[in-house]
Amino acid sequence: MEEITRTIHIGPSRLGHPCFYHQKDMKLENVFVKQGEQIMLNSVEEINGEIMVNCGVIRNHQNHSFTLPLSQEGEFYECEDERIYTLKEVVEWKIPKNRTRTVKLTGFSNKWDLTNPFPKGFYGTLILKPVYEIQGVMKFQKDIVRILPSLDVEVKDITDSYDANWFLQLLSTQDLSERTSKEFPIVAEVIEAPQGNHLPRNILQPGKTIVIHKKYQASRILASEIRSNFPKRHFLIPTSYKGKFKRRPREFPTAYDLEIAKSEKEVLHVVATKAFHPPHDELSSVSVGDQFLVHHSQMTEVLCQGIRKVVNVLACEKILEKSYEAALLPLYMEGGFVEVIHDKRQYQISELCAQFHWPFNVKVSVRDLFIEEDILAATPGLQLEETITDTYLLISDFANPTECWEVPVSRLSMTVQLVNNNLSQDTGSILVKTLTEEITEEQYYMMRRYESSFSHPPPRPPKHPSVGEAKLTLLNVAEEKTMGLPKSPKSLHVDISKKLHSNQAGLGSKVPAGCQNSLPNLEKERSKSGAVQQQAPM
């Protein structure tokens, strides 16, 4: 185990939990680990004066924890890993020290051209070997010197004979975020400014003196541009955004997506864009242009080759010219539906977050007049996907400490030096300004993966019911029919236009606040991100 801890990164991050298996059974004090069973290494800490590795095994969805001493011997092998990683993640977490890593590149074309300069016969397998450089500072100098590892020089350690105060004490954005809250506010001079600085008046320029007031967690709404023929742009919208939005129709590829999107506060009204012919007489057929009102899911019996089986269906009402017809759509139905919007209201971002389930489609109807340039106003439409919580530093110009800006720790890299300028503790009232942030494709996918790891959506149902599905007893069938079937169309509707308009426009503040994920289709999108898939280490 000591060899593993020396060569593999183990840390609090999700990526810092490598998994190994042992060639033989291991009988420990409180658990028996079987041969080949996956062991997750969670952390390394000192317990009763001995360095131990906190481990765990998953059995029947339950985590069983145990510890292994560094002296634990055996044949440990790293488990195969099918996850998708960015290049940065592989370099920082998945390449053992002084080793290489074999990976498979995903989402690339085998065709060689100028935009994709891979050799002929290349099918994605790569051996990654990091090339490191050393960053240093010279005595009484502010410039950062970069030393390549190929430089053939001899060095001597003279740390004990020099005063560390003669050199710059440089801190990164991450270093600042790891300081305790009591150490703020901090006065610092910017040594290396971040690239693509979007803060006004060049606050984060080299040589500029800034005040870092505090660190804290702040929320953003993750949104993507709605486009079909161009690369999508991605944004992080602060909840203080003052612009207004109007709803835009959502598209649903299956009946199961309708079940996820329906709301108790309004009736979901959709139009079919794809025909469906049911395999059973008990289910409803769908033609292009048919309109439905979605109610709830339930179970119903169908007759398949003389055998009665139970399938999950969506109870809807088909809108006819002057009446309504009950309809049952199987959840596995692959079709196409577009939402019909009757709501003409304009919403603040906070109202959308509180009243609707993600993902949600909107368009900016009134730009934010409190900022000079609203980058959201020019977008054709936005899909609001989820709420992201991140760590921010609150900074200001030293000359104007009352006007502050939020700086994201994970996405803005800068280097500062602490200075001894005295800052008056009484800076008066602080005005915090936030900006809508446009993020890269890589940052977008990393965010979606981290957030989704905490909230997994339910799996899609099978496309077709299997013969082995459990059958309901006559009592269960009776209960389902009395509890789940929709009421008669006459009792459900008085006037469709009045009902839909009142439901969609009249959502009050009683709706519980909160934002949820709804089936983020990550696996399909990841193939476009150019990430890498990890294979066994060399």
Side-chain angles (χ1 to χ4, degrees):
M1 289 304 295
E2 185 177 5
E3 291 176 330
I4 292 176
T5 58
R6 283 203 311 260
T7 58
I8 297 292
H9 300 284
I10 302 174
S13 166
R14 178 184 61 85
L15 297 173
H17 302 319
C19 293
F20 285 76
Y21 67 90
H22 194 258
Q23 273 291 76
K24 299 178 182 179
D25 294 342
M26 284 198 307
K27 189 174 182 180
L28 305 173
E29 219 175 283
N30 60 338
V31 68
F32 181 80
V33 181
K34 299 177 183 178
Q35 173 188 353
E37 189 171 15
Q38 181 171 293
I39 305 170
M40 180 179 289
L41 311 185
N42 295 315
S43 64
V44 179
E45 61 178 285
E46 183 178 344
I47 301 176
N48 297 328
E50 185 179 4
I51 302 298
M52 307 287 285
V53 181
N54 288 319
C55 308
V57 293
I58 304 295
R59 294 171 182 166
N60 299 323
H61 306 291
Q62 300 257 337
N63 182 48
H64 300 270
S65 300
F66 58 95
T67 58
L68 291 176
L70 295 187
S71 58
Q72 180 74 42
E73 294 184 350
E75 290 187 55
F76 291 96
Y77 296 87
E78 189 171 11
C79 297
E80 291 188 8
D81 191 348
E82 297 297 328
R83 287 183 175 177
I84 305 296
Y85 295 89
T86 65
L87 186 60
K88 181 180 179 183
E89 289 174 333
V90 172
V91 171
E92 291 182 350
W93 290 101
K94 295 300 176 182
I95 296 186
K97 299 169 187 175
N98 300 320
R99 301 272 292 279
T100 60
R101 171 70 76 176
T102 302
V103 298
K104 186 174 183 180
L105 188 64
T106 62
F108 75 98
S109 171
N110 293 331
K111 183 179 177 182
W112 189 93
D113 55 32
L114 292 178
T115 59
N116 191 12
F118 296 113
K120 293 181 180 179
F122 173 70
Y123 297 103
T125 302
L126 298 167
I127 298 176
L128 301 181
K129 183 178 181 180
V131 178
Y132 300 97
E133 69 174 16
I134 299 172
Q135 294 187 8
V137 291
M138 300 180 66
K139 184 178 176 181
F140 300 127
Q141 299 292 319
K142 292 185 178 180
D143 295 333
I144 295 178
V145 180
R146 288 176 169 81
I147 306 172
L148 295 177
S150 58
L151 188 63
D152 188 12
V153 295
E154 293 184 1
V155 295
K156 180 181 178 181
D157 187 356
I158 55 174
T159 305
D160 295 337
S161 57
Y162 272 78
D163 187 352
N165 293 325
W166 293 349
F167 298 90
L168 289 181
Q169 304 300 310
L170 301 180
L171 295 174
S172 66
T173 315
Q174 188 66 39
D175 295 331
L176 292 169
S177 70
E178 292 173 357
R179 296 208 157 203
T180 63
S181 300
K182 294 180 180 179
E183 297 180 74
F184 293 94
I186 296 172
V187 181
E189 179 184 346
V190 178
I191 302 300
E192 274 196 332
Q195 295 181 350
N197 180 21
H198 298 293
L199 295 185
R201 294 201 304 270
N202 300 323
I203 292 177
L204 299 181
Q205 290 299 308
K208 193 85 170 180
T209 303
I210 61 173
V211 180
I212 305 162
H213 295 266
K214 61 179 178 177
K215 65 172 182 178
Y216 58 91
Q217 299 283 308
S219 296
R220 295 289 187 272
I221 309 302
L222 181 62
S224 294
E225 194 176 30
I226 300 176
R227 282 186 182 273
S228 58
N229 56 344
F230 291 97
K232 293 182 181 179
R233 299 165 68 193
H234 306 286
F235 306 94
L236 288 175
I237 308 174
T239 52
S240 59
Y241 178 77
K242 297 296 191 297
K244 292 188 176 181
F245 300 89
K246 281 189 175 181
R247 296 170 58 179
R248 284 198 60 182
R250 292 171 286 178
E251 296 183 5
F252 307 100
T254 69
Y256 185 66
D257 294 291
L258 297 177
E259 159 65 14
I260 296 297
K262 67 180 177 60
S263 168
E264 295 179 358
K265 296 296 181 180
E266 67 175 354
V267 177
L268 181 59
H269 180 193
V270 296
V271 177
T273 59
K274 187 177 179 181
F276 170 73
H277 302 287
H280 311 292
D281 295 335
E282 295 85 353
L283 305 178
S284 305
S285 62
V286 176
S287 300
V288 175
D290 286 350
Q291 298 189 44
F292 295 91
L293 301 176
V294 180
H295 291 301
H296 58 266
S297 61
Q298 64 183 56
M299 301 182 77
T300 190
E301 276 195 338
V302 297
L303 189 62
C304 179
Q305 298 177 352
I307 302 175
R308 299 201 70 81
K309 295 186 301 183
V310 175
V311 296
N312 293 315
V313 297
L314 193 62
C316 305
E317 284 184 292
K318 184 178 178 180
I319 303 175
L320 306 177
E321 284 190 17
K322 296 183 179 179
S323 61
Y324 307 92
E325 176 182 282
L328 296 178
L329 305 179
L331 291 186
Y332 61 78
M333 167 187 168
E334 286 189 352
F337 300 92
V338 175
E339 184 179 19
V340 179
I341 299 294
H342 299 268
D343 185 0
K344 305 300 181 184
R345 274 190 60 189
Q346 297 186 110
Y347 292 88
Q348 299 279 359
I349 190 75
S350 57
E351 294 176 308
L352 292 172
C353 185
Q355 299 180 17
F356 301 105
H357 296 303
W358 304 135
F360 206 74
N361 294 353
V362 295
K363 178 177 173 57
V364 176
S365 57
V366 178
R367 65 177 292 270
D368 189 342
L369 301 177
F370 292 87
I371 56 179
E372 293 182 9
E373 182 184 1
D374 187 351
I375 59 177
L376 300 180
T379 59
L382 292 169
Q383 183 176 75
L384 308 183
E385 298 176 6
E386 60 184 317
T387 299
I388 299 291
T389 302
D390 212 343
T391 303
Y392 288 82
L393 296 175
L394 192 65
I395 69 164
S396 70
D397 190 336
F398 181 78
N400 183 18
T402 60
E403 184 178 273
C404 299
W405 301 86
E406 290 181 338
V407 171
V409 171
S410 61
R411 295 181 302 280
L412 193 145
S413 177
M414 67 174 178
T415 305
V416 302
Q417 174 198 11
L418 302 187
V419 296
N420 295 321
N421 290 18
N422 292 324
L423 178 68
S424 172
Q425 294 294 325
D426 185 18
T427 56
S429 59
I430 292 178
L431 175 64
V432 178
K433 294 192 173 183
T434 57
L435 293 175
T436 299
E437 183 183 355
E438 183 170 355
I439 59 176
T440 65
E441 197 83 358
E442 178 186 355
Q443 292 169 340
Y444 168 78
Y445 285 110
M446 290 177 69
M447 285 181 188
R448 293 306 307 266
R449 289 165 55 196
Y450 292 148
E451 293 295 320
S452 299
S453 65
F454 296 101
S455 178
H456 293 283
R460 290 188 185 274
K463 294 182 180 179
H464 301 287
S466 61
V467 178
E469 283 185 71
K471 299 178 182 179
L472 291 179
T473 63
L474 292 176
L475 178 61
N476 288 338
V477 172
E479 289 176 352
E480 287 290 342
K481 288 182 178 179
T482 55
M483 296 175 62
L485 285 176
K487 301 176 183 178
S488 65
K490 291 183 180 179
S491 64
L492 278 172
H493 296 278
V494 179
D495 182 15
I496 179 174
S497 61
K498 291 181 180 179
K499 177 172 182 178
L500 288 171
H501 191 80
S502 62
N503 280 334
Q504 292 182 344
L507 292 175
S509 59
K510 296 180 180 180
V511 182
C515 307
Q516 302 178 6
N517 296 340
S518 295
L519 296 173
N521 196 356
L522 295 180
E523 294 303 326
K524 184 184 296 182
E525 294 289 342
R526 281 179 190 163
S527 62
K528 304 176 185 177
S529 67
V532 292
Q533 183 173 358
Q534 176 187 325
Q535 295 181 340
M538 294 186 66

